[in-house]
Amino acid sequence: AIERTFSIIKPDATKRNLTGAVNAVIEAAGLQIVAQKRIRMSLPEARKFYAVHKERPFFGELVDFMVSAPVVVQVLEGENAVAKYREIMGATNPAQAAEGTIRKLYAVSVGENSVHGSDSVENAKIEIAQFFSENEILPA
Ligand code: CMP
């Protein structure tokens, strides 16, 4: 089915001028970038976005990292978009990521791992709604 997923190009990637490189991998995989903006995430926004991880030992580090520099938030659309994007992102830890994946190509570490992608269609809807209104999402 045609799905939407939510993506973030994280600070480690925006700082290294890799926005276009990441987008090239996304588009080569057949996913369409139907919404995109570069933002500086606020601390409350980052805490809300990652609330599911608030008990994890790395929560503080994760939130600090996400507000440390601009990010690019995106909506990706296409056949099976949630699973397809997770496949091309690669494993959370770049040391375990498959060849050719975004994290294998560009990620620095498990924390500075260049991209986020939703883990389900249901969570994608929630994550998209945190950053985009429906009139900002423009399929071809
Ligand atoms: P993401 O898909 O954005 O969702 C949760 C994030 O937590 C994950 O990517 C990682 O970047 C981050 N994360 C997971 N494990 C660790 C860890 N051990 N240390 C720091 N960050 C982590």
Side-chain angles (χ1 to χ4, degrees), residues 10 49-50 53 56 58 61-62 65-66 86 89 92 103 109-113 115-117:
K10 296 187 182 185
F49 184 76
Y50 281 120
H53 297 304
R56 304 277 193 104
F58 56 82
E61 186 189 326
L62 172 60
F65 169 60
M66 293 303 288
R86 290 181 76 81
M89 285 196 299
T92 304
R103 285 166 170 162
S109 66
V110 67
E112 302 200 7
N113 65 356
V115 281
H116 165 84

PDB file of all heavy atoms in Angstrom, residues 10 49-50 53 56 58 61-62 65-66 86 89 92 103 109-113 115-117, ligand 1:
ATOM      1  N   LYS A  10      19.450  14.173  10.849  1.00  0.00           N
ATOM      2  CA  LYS A  10      19.884  14.615  12.181  1.00  0.00           C
ATOM      3  C   LYS A  10      21.077  15.580  12.105  1.00  0.00           C
ATOM      4  O   LYS A  10      21.735  15.703  11.059  1.00  0.00           O
ATOM      5  CB  LYS A  10      20.234  13.389  13.019  1.00  0.00           C
ATOM      6  CG  LYS A  10      19.033  12.473  13.290  1.00  0.00           C
ATOM      7  CD  LYS A  10      19.417  11.361  14.270  1.00  0.00           C
ATOM      8  CE  LYS A  10      18.246  10.418  14.502  1.00  0.00           C
ATOM      9  NZ  LYS A  10      18.593   9.406  15.538  1.00  0.00           N
ATOM     10  N   PHE A  49       9.109  14.451  21.210  1.00  0.00           N
ATOM     11  CA  PHE A  49       9.295  13.510  20.102  1.00  0.00           C
ATOM     12  C   PHE A  49       9.854  12.173  20.591  1.00  0.00           C
ATOM     13  O   PHE A  49       9.451  11.107  20.130  1.00  0.00           O
ATOM     14  CB  PHE A  49      10.226  14.115  19.042  1.00  0.00           C
ATOM     15  CG  PHE A  49      10.362  13.232  17.844  1.00  0.00           C
ATOM     16  CD1 PHE A  49       9.343  13.155  16.912  1.00  0.00           C
ATOM     17  CD2 PHE A  49      11.483  12.442  17.662  1.00  0.00           C
ATOM     18  CE1 PHE A  49       9.436  12.318  15.813  1.00  0.00           C
ATOM     19  CE2 PHE A  49      11.590  11.598  16.573  1.00  0.00           C
ATOM     20  CZ  PHE A  49      10.565  11.539  15.643  1.00  0.00           C
ATOM     21  N   TYR A  50      10.790  12.232  21.528  1.00  0.00           N
ATOM     22  CA  TYR A  50      11.455  11.017  22.018  1.00  0.00           C
ATOM     23  C   TYR A  50      10.907  10.546  23.370  1.00  0.00           C
ATOM     24  O   TYR A  50      11.577   9.778  24.064  1.00  0.00           O
ATOM     25  CB  TYR A  50      12.963  11.239  22.087  1.00  0.00           C
ATOM     26  CG  TYR A  50      13.645  11.131  20.733  1.00  0.00           C
ATOM     27  CD1 TYR A  50      14.347  12.201  20.189  1.00  0.00           C
ATOM     28  CD2 TYR A  50      13.599   9.937  20.000  1.00  0.00           C
ATOM     29  CE1 TYR A  50      14.972  12.084  18.953  1.00  0.00           C
ATOM     30  CE2 TYR A  50      14.220   9.823  18.772  1.00  0.00           C
ATOM     31  CZ  TYR A  50      14.905  10.894  18.254  1.00  0.00           C
ATOM     32  OH  TYR A  50      15.528  10.774  17.032  1.00  0.00           O
ATOM     33  N   HIS A  53      11.323   7.125  24.849  1.00  0.00           N
ATOM     34  CA  HIS A  53      12.651   6.713  25.345  1.00  0.00           C
ATOM     35  C   HIS A  53      13.041   7.402  26.651  1.00  0.00           C
ATOM     36  O   HIS A  53      14.202   7.345  27.050  1.00  0.00           O
ATOM     37  CB  HIS A  53      13.728   7.028  24.295  1.00  0.00           C
ATOM     38  CG  HIS A  53      13.568   6.279  23.013  1.00  0.00           C
ATOM     39  ND1 HIS A  53      13.515   4.909  22.955  1.00  0.00           N
ATOM     40  CD2 HIS A  53      13.442   6.700  21.730  1.00  0.00           C
ATOM     41  CE1 HIS A  53      13.360   4.526  21.698  1.00  0.00           C
ATOM     42  NE2 HIS A  53      13.298   5.589  20.934  1.00  0.00           N
ATOM     43  N   ARG A  56      15.214   5.697  29.215  1.00  0.00           N
ATOM     44  CA  ARG A  56      16.480   5.111  28.761  1.00  0.00           C
ATOM     45  C   ARG A  56      17.668   5.935  29.263  1.00  0.00           C
ATOM     46  O   ARG A  56      17.566   7.159  29.359  1.00  0.00           O
ATOM     47  CB  ARG A  56      16.555   5.070  27.230  1.00  0.00           C
ATOM     48  CG  ARG A  56      15.427   4.338  26.562  1.00  0.00           C
ATOM     49  CD  ARG A  56      15.669   2.850  26.532  1.00  0.00           C
ATOM     50  NE  ARG A  56      14.703   2.231  25.618  1.00  0.00           N
ATOM     51  CZ  ARG A  56      15.029   1.808  24.385  1.00  0.00           C
ATOM     52  NH1 ARG A  56      16.258   1.894  23.950  1.00  0.00           N
ATOM     53  NH2 ARG A  56      14.101   1.269  23.619  1.00  0.00           N
ATOM     54  N   PHE A  58      20.228   6.868  27.750  1.00  0.00           N
ATOM     55  CA  PHE A  58      20.766   7.798  26.753  1.00  0.00           C
ATOM     56  C   PHE A  58      19.799   8.930  26.416  1.00  0.00           C
ATOM     57  O   PHE A  58      20.076   9.733  25.526  1.00  0.00           O
ATOM     58  CB  PHE A  58      21.165   7.050  25.470  1.00  0.00           C
ATOM     59  CG  PHE A  58      20.055   6.240  24.842  1.00  0.00           C
ATOM     60  CD1 PHE A  58      19.107   6.842  24.025  1.00  0.00           C
ATOM     61  CD2 PHE A  58      19.970   4.868  25.051  1.00  0.00           C
ATOM     62  CE1 PHE A  58      18.080   6.107  23.437  1.00  0.00           C
ATOM     63  CE2 PHE A  58      18.947   4.122  24.456  1.00  0.00           C
ATOM     64  CZ  PHE A  58      18.010   4.752  23.653  1.00  0.00           C
ATOM     65  N   GLU A  61      21.263  12.566  26.532  1.00  0.00           N
ATOM     66  CA  GLU A  61      22.255  12.705  25.456  1.00  0.00           C
ATOM     67  C   GLU A  61      21.551  12.822  24.091  1.00  0.00           C
ATOM     68  O   GLU A  61      21.919  13.652  23.249  1.00  0.00           O
ATOM     69  CB  GLU A  61      23.137  11.454  25.510  1.00  0.00           C
ATOM     70  CG  GLU A  61      24.323  11.412  24.580  1.00  0.00           C
ATOM     71  CD  GLU A  61      24.973  10.018  24.595  1.00  0.00           C
ATOM     72  OE1 GLU A  61      24.984   9.358  25.654  1.00  0.00           O
ATOM     73  OE2 GLU A  61      25.440   9.598  23.524  1.00  0.00           O
ATOM     74  N   LEU A  62      20.530  12.003  23.903  1.00  0.00           N
ATOM     75  CA  LEU A  62      19.779  11.993  22.646  1.00  0.00           C
ATOM     76  C   LEU A  62      19.094  13.344  22.405  1.00  0.00           C
ATOM     77  O   LEU A  62      19.205  13.932  21.318  1.00  0.00           O
ATOM     78  CB  LEU A  62      18.740  10.855  22.701  1.00  0.00           C
ATOM     79  CG  LEU A  62      17.716  10.758  21.585  1.00  0.00           C
ATOM     80  CD1 LEU A  62      18.382  10.555  20.228  1.00  0.00           C
ATOM     81  CD2 LEU A  62      16.740   9.599  21.868  1.00  0.00           C
ATOM     82  N   PHE A  65      21.602  16.152  21.738  1.00  0.00           N
ATOM     83  CA  PHE A  65      22.120  16.029  20.370  1.00  0.00           C
ATOM     84  C   PHE A  65      21.122  16.581  19.349  1.00  0.00           C
ATOM     85  O   PHE A  65      21.497  17.331  18.441  1.00  0.00           O
ATOM     86  CB  PHE A  65      22.444  14.562  20.075  1.00  0.00           C
ATOM     87  CG  PHE A  65      22.729  14.264  18.637  1.00  0.00           C
ATOM     88  CD1 PHE A  65      23.794  14.886  17.983  1.00  0.00           C
ATOM     89  CD2 PHE A  65      21.938  13.376  17.921  1.00  0.00           C
ATOM     90  CE1 PHE A  65      24.062  14.621  16.641  1.00  0.00           C
ATOM     91  CE2 PHE A  65      22.195  13.104  16.589  1.00  0.00           C
ATOM     92  CZ  PHE A  65      23.258  13.736  15.953  1.00  0.00           C
ATOM     93  N   MET A  66      19.846  16.249  19.526  1.00  0.00           N
ATOM     94  CA  MET A  66      18.843  16.642  18.529  1.00  0.00           C
ATOM     95  C   MET A  66      18.598  18.143  18.478  1.00  0.00           C
ATOM     96  O   MET A  66      18.094  18.647  17.471  1.00  0.00           O
ATOM     97  CB  MET A  66      17.531  15.886  18.766  1.00  0.00           C
ATOM     98  CG  MET A  66      17.628  14.395  18.514  1.00  0.00           C
ATOM     99  SD  MET A  66      18.176  13.946  16.847  1.00  0.00           S
ATOM    100  CE  MET A  66      16.700  14.379  15.911  1.00  0.00           C
ATOM    101  N   ARG A  86      13.113   2.163   6.513  1.00  0.00           N
ATOM    102  CA  ARG A  86      13.940   1.505   7.532  1.00  0.00           C
ATOM    103  C   ARG A  86      15.007   0.634   6.881  1.00  0.00           C
ATOM    104  O   ARG A  86      16.135   0.549   7.368  1.00  0.00           O
ATOM    105  CB  ARG A  86      13.065   0.727   8.520  1.00  0.00           C
ATOM    106  CG  ARG A  86      12.278   1.690   9.402  1.00  0.00           C
ATOM    107  CD  ARG A  86      11.416   1.015  10.420  1.00  0.00           C
ATOM    108  NE  ARG A  86      12.134   0.494  11.551  1.00  0.00           N
ATOM    109  CZ  ARG A  86      12.539   1.221  12.601  1.00  0.00           C
ATOM    110  NH1 ARG A  86      12.309   2.524  12.633  1.00  0.00           N
ATOM    111  NH2 ARG A  86      13.176   0.665  13.605  1.00  0.00           N
ATOM    112  N   MET A  89      17.700   3.031   5.570  1.00  0.00           N
ATOM    113  CA  MET A  89      18.447   3.671   6.673  1.00  0.00           C
ATOM    114  C   MET A  89      19.536   2.737   7.190  1.00  0.00           C
ATOM    115  O   MET A  89      20.612   3.182   7.560  1.00  0.00           O
ATOM    116  CB  MET A  89      17.510   4.008   7.850  1.00  0.00           C
ATOM    117  CG  MET A  89      16.617   5.198   7.624  1.00  0.00           C
ATOM    118  SD  MET A  89      15.924   5.794   9.197  1.00  0.00           S
ATOM    119  CE  MET A  89      15.020   4.358   9.726  1.00  0.00           C
ATOM    120  N   THR A  92      20.253   0.734  13.470  1.00  0.00           N
ATOM    121  CA  THR A  92      20.467   1.903  14.347  1.00  0.00           C
ATOM    122  C   THR A  92      21.954   2.147  14.593  1.00  0.00           C
ATOM    123  O   THR A  92      22.424   3.285  14.537  1.00  0.00           O
ATOM    124  CB  THR A  92      19.753   1.676  15.705  1.00  0.00           C
ATOM    125  OG1 THR A  92      18.379   1.419  15.439  1.00  0.00           O
ATOM    126  CG2 THR A  92      19.880   2.893  16.609  1.00  0.00           C
ATOM    127  N   ARG A 103      22.980   4.807   6.998  1.00  0.00           N
ATOM    128  CA  ARG A 103      23.811   4.799   8.218  1.00  0.00           C
ATOM    129  C   ARG A 103      25.183   4.194   7.974  1.00  0.00           C
ATOM    130  O   ARG A 103      26.175   4.640   8.539  1.00  0.00           O
ATOM    131  CB  ARG A 103      23.060   4.094   9.336  1.00  0.00           C
ATOM    132  CG  ARG A 103      21.947   5.003   9.902  1.00  0.00           C
ATOM    133  CD  ARG A 103      20.987   4.237  10.742  1.00  0.00           C
ATOM    134  NE  ARG A 103      20.058   5.088  11.473  1.00  0.00           N
ATOM    135  CZ  ARG A 103      18.917   4.650  11.997  1.00  0.00           C
ATOM    136  NH1 ARG A 103      18.566   3.375  11.858  1.00  0.00           N
ATOM    137  NH2 ARG A 103      18.131   5.472  12.655  1.00  0.00           N
ATOM    138  N   SER A 109      27.984   7.155  14.788  1.00  0.00           N
ATOM    139  CA  SER A 109      27.864   6.280  15.958  1.00  0.00           C
ATOM    140  C   SER A 109      26.383   5.965  16.168  1.00  0.00           C
ATOM    141  O   SER A 109      25.532   6.500  15.455  1.00  0.00           O
ATOM    142  CB  SER A 109      28.426   6.991  17.192  1.00  0.00           C
ATOM    143  OG  SER A 109      27.612   8.117  17.494  1.00  0.00           O
ATOM    144  N   VAL A 110      26.087   5.133  17.175  1.00  0.00           N
ATOM    145  CA  VAL A 110      24.686   4.772  17.451  1.00  0.00           C
ATOM    146  C   VAL A 110      23.860   6.010  17.826  1.00  0.00           C
ATOM    147  O   VAL A 110      22.660   6.064  17.539  1.00  0.00           O
ATOM    148  CB  VAL A 110      24.595   3.669  18.534  1.00  0.00           C
ATOM    149  CG1 VAL A 110      25.067   4.174  19.886  1.00  0.00           C
ATOM    150  CG2 VAL A 110      23.197   3.090  18.625  1.00  0.00           C
ATOM    151  N   GLY A 111      24.476   6.995  18.445  1.00  0.00           N
ATOM    152  CA  GLY A 111      23.775   8.229  18.798  1.00  0.00           C
ATOM    153  C   GLY A 111      23.707   9.179  17.613  1.00  0.00           C
ATOM    154  O   GLY A 111      22.638   9.664  17.244  1.00  0.00           O
ATOM    155  N   GLU A 112      24.863   9.419  17.003  1.00  0.00           N
ATOM    156  CA  GLU A 112      24.941  10.330  15.849  1.00  0.00           C
ATOM    157  C   GLU A 112      24.765   9.500  14.577  1.00  0.00           C
ATOM    158  O   GLU A 112      25.712   9.273  13.821  1.00  0.00           O
ATOM    159  CB  GLU A 112      26.267  11.096  15.870  1.00  0.00           C
ATOM    160  CG  GLU A 112      26.431  11.893  17.165  1.00  0.00           C
ATOM    161  CD  GLU A 112      27.440  13.016  17.084  1.00  0.00           C
ATOM    162  OE1 GLU A 112      27.955  13.310  15.993  1.00  0.00           O
ATOM    163  OE2 GLU A 112      27.697  13.623  18.138  1.00  0.00           O
ATOM    164  N   ASN A 113      23.517   9.039  14.392  1.00  0.00           N
ATOM    165  CA  ASN A 113      23.290   8.052  13.325  1.00  0.00           C
ATOM    166  C   ASN A 113      22.534   8.617  12.113  1.00  0.00           C
ATOM    167  O   ASN A 113      21.885   7.882  11.376  1.00  0.00           O
ATOM    168  CB  ASN A 113      22.639   6.785  13.893  1.00  0.00           C
ATOM    169  CG  ASN A 113      21.254   7.018  14.443  1.00  0.00           C
ATOM    170  OD1 ASN A 113      20.776   8.152  14.477  1.00  0.00           O
ATOM    171  ND2 ASN A 113      20.593   5.957  14.853  1.00  0.00           N
ATOM    172  N   VAL A 115      20.032   9.702  10.622  1.00  0.00           N
ATOM    173  CA  VAL A 115      18.615   9.745  10.237  1.00  0.00           C
ATOM    174  C   VAL A 115      17.729   9.045  11.267  1.00  0.00           C
ATOM    175  O   VAL A 115      18.175   8.152  11.990  1.00  0.00           O
ATOM    176  CB  VAL A 115      18.365   9.072   8.857  1.00  0.00           C
ATOM    177  CG1 VAL A 115      18.743  10.001   7.716  1.00  0.00           C
ATOM    178  CG2 VAL A 115      19.054   7.732   8.742  1.00  0.00           C
ATOM    179  N   HIS A 116      16.480   9.486  11.298  1.00  0.00           N
ATOM    180  CA  HIS A 116      15.404   8.796  12.028  1.00  0.00           C
ATOM    181  C   HIS A 116      14.329   8.425  11.025  1.00  0.00           C
ATOM    182  O   HIS A 116      14.059   9.192  10.095  1.00  0.00           O
ATOM    183  CB  HIS A 116      14.784   9.725  13.085  1.00  0.00           C
ATOM    184  CG  HIS A 116      13.471   9.220  13.607  1.00  0.00           C
ATOM    185  ND1 HIS A 116      13.391   8.299  14.614  1.00  0.00           N
ATOM    186  CD2 HIS A 116      12.192   9.448  13.194  1.00  0.00           C
ATOM    187  CE1 HIS A 116      12.101   7.990  14.818  1.00  0.00           C
ATOM    188  NE2 HIS A 116      11.361   8.685  13.966  1.00  0.00           N
ATOM    189  N   GLY A 117      13.690   7.286  11.236  1.00  0.00           N
ATOM    190  CA  GLY A 117      12.513   6.925  10.446  1.00  0.00           C
ATOM    191  C   GLY A 117      11.485   6.248  11.337  1.00  0.00           C
ATOM    192  O   GLY A 117      11.852   5.486  12.245  1.00  0.00           O
TER     193      GLY A 117
HETATM  194  P1  CMP B   1      16.133   6.985  16.390  1.00  0.00           P
HETATM  195  O1  CMP B   1      15.605   6.085  15.322  1.00  0.00           O
HETATM  196  O2  CMP B   1      16.073   8.426  16.139  1.00  0.00           O
HETATM  197  O3  CMP B   1      15.323   6.675  17.735  1.00  0.00           O
HETATM  198  C1  CMP B   1      15.914   6.619  19.013  1.00  0.00           C
HETATM  199  C2  CMP B   1      17.333   7.003  18.991  1.00  0.00           C
HETATM  200  O4  CMP B   1      18.057   6.761  20.168  1.00  0.00           O
HETATM  201  C3  CMP B   1      18.056   6.172  17.955  1.00  0.00           C
HETATM  202  O5  CMP B   1      17.667   6.600  16.667  1.00  0.00           O
HETATM  203  C4  CMP B   1      19.511   6.391  18.319  1.00  0.00           C
HETATM  204  O6  CMP B   1      20.090   7.475  17.631  1.00  0.00           O
HETATM  205  C5  CMP B   1      19.416   6.735  19.795  1.00  0.00           C
HETATM  206  N1  CMP B   1      20.116   5.726  20.554  1.00  0.00           N
HETATM  207  C6  CMP B   1      19.843   4.428  20.614  1.00  0.00           C
HETATM  208  N2  CMP B   1      20.732   3.814  21.417  1.00  0.00           N
HETATM  209  C7  CMP B   1      21.577   4.766  21.863  1.00  0.00           C
HETATM  210  C8  CMP B   1      22.700   4.754  22.718  1.00  0.00           C
HETATM  211  N3  CMP B   1      23.139   3.635  23.286  1.00  0.00           N
HETATM  212  N4  CMP B   1      23.314   5.938  22.943  1.00  0.00           N
HETATM  213  C9  CMP B   1      22.857   7.084  22.375  1.00  0.00           C
HETATM  214  N5  CMP B   1      21.797   7.141  21.564  1.00  0.00           N
HETATM  215  C10 CMP B   1      21.172   5.993  21.310  1.00  0.00           C
END
